[in-house]
Amino acid sequence: MTVIEAIQKRYSCRAYLEKPVEKEKLEKIFEAARQAPSAKNLQDWRFVATIDKDTKQRVADCTNHKDAFGKAGAIIAACSACKEIMKCGQQIAPIDVAIALEHMALAATELGLATCWIGSFDAGKVKEVLEIPKEVAIIELMALGYPAEGKRQTTREPVKNIVCCDKWQY
Ligand SMILES: Cc1cc2nc3c(=O)[nH]c(=O)nc-3n(C[C@H](O)[C@H](O)[C@H](O)COP(=O)(O)O)c2cc1C
């Protein structure tokens, strides 16, 4: 599968089979995260992979799709303690962690798995469940597992609406 094929195939999955994800596949997915670029090559990201059934359900209970995400093979808590702001004014942590997470999503797609980004969760409660220290931010969660549903078509703006050349023309 090419990267472009994986980009086209990826979708947000909200129905999973109750089937564990093989260790070898998880290793490949975390290798894809490890290879992601990061500002100043800081690599200030840490991933807590919940695979234990009870722990996973306790994390899923903090999200907006607790039944669906609880069945996923894993829920990944993507964390960073980086407080740095780049010269451009943007925070490093959410950008770096997001790139690594999307690497993971695309690698998972190639491996026959599906994913869902989860931003709708109670960070305080997830921190309690996973014993994440208060100075570490959970940037996002990601459900990951064997899909029980296929891709639904979602809409996207045409390229001409999102790209202009040489000057701002919106
Ligand atoms: C940063 C971010 C946060 C998201 N949070 C959630 C979420 O909390 N729950 C959920 O079901 N989907 C969530 N999604 C998935 C989006 O709803 C989804 O990407 C969008 O509707 C487009 O659908 P597609 O990914 O299937 O193409 C999130 C996606 C992103 C990028």
Side-chain angles (χ1 to χ4, degrees):
M1 186 181 288
T2 66
V3 174
I4 288 176
E5 285 166 346
I7 289 169
Q8 285 162 350
K9 205 171 167 207
R10 184 216 61 83
Y11 64 99
S12 295
C13 178
R14 299 182 185 91
Y16 293 89
L17 302 175
E18 284 185 276
K19 177 179 170 183
V21 176
E22 297 81 348
K23 189 168 168 276
E24 300 69 35
K25 289 195 176 182
L26 285 174
E27 282 170 0
K28 285 185 178 158
I29 289 164
F30 286 116
E31 178 61 20
R34 198 175 76 89
Q35 295 296 345
S38 61
K40 302 184 204 169
N41 201 21
L42 283 178
Q43 304 168 62
D44 192 334
W45 44 46
R46 297 291 181 270
F47 303 95
V48 184
T50 61
I51 47 176
D52 168 72
K53 197 172 187 293
D54 176 56
T55 311
K56 194 157 43 77
Q57 189 57 59
R58 288 174 65 207
V59 173
D61 286 343
C62 304
T63 73
N64 61 345
H65 291 285
K66 56 183 176 188
D67 295 334
F69 295 147
K71 291 194 174 84
I75 301 177
I76 314 299
C79 306
S80 177
C82 183
K83 304 280 186 280
E84 277 195 59
I85 310 282
M86 290 178 279
K87 198 173 175 191
C88 65
Q90 300 298 324
Q91 292 176 49
I92 287 178
I95 294 174
D96 284 358
V97 170
I99 296 167
L101 274 176
E102 192 59 9
H103 271 211
M104 291 168 64
L106 294 177
T109 302
E110 163 151 358
L111 296 168
L113 300 164
T115 56
C116 191
W117 282 77
I118 310 170
S120 182
F121 66 93
D122 184 324
K125 285 189 184 153
V126 175
K127 277 192 181 186
E128 265 177 44
V129 174
L130 301 180
E131 299 179 26
I132 295 171
K134 69 172 184 324
E135 65 276 14
V136 174
I138 307 175
I139 306 294
E140 287 283 315
L141 302 178
M142 181 169 276
L144 172 71
Y146 285 94
E149 65 169 20
K151 178 172 177 157
R152 286 157 295 95
Q153 272 318 317
T154 48
T155 56
R156 290 294 191 273
E157 293 284 330
V159 170
K160 70 177 174 50
N161 287 9
I162 61 169
V163 181
C164 62
C165 289
D166 300 324
K167 65 173 183 178
W168 184 266
Q169 287 173 331
Y170 298 105

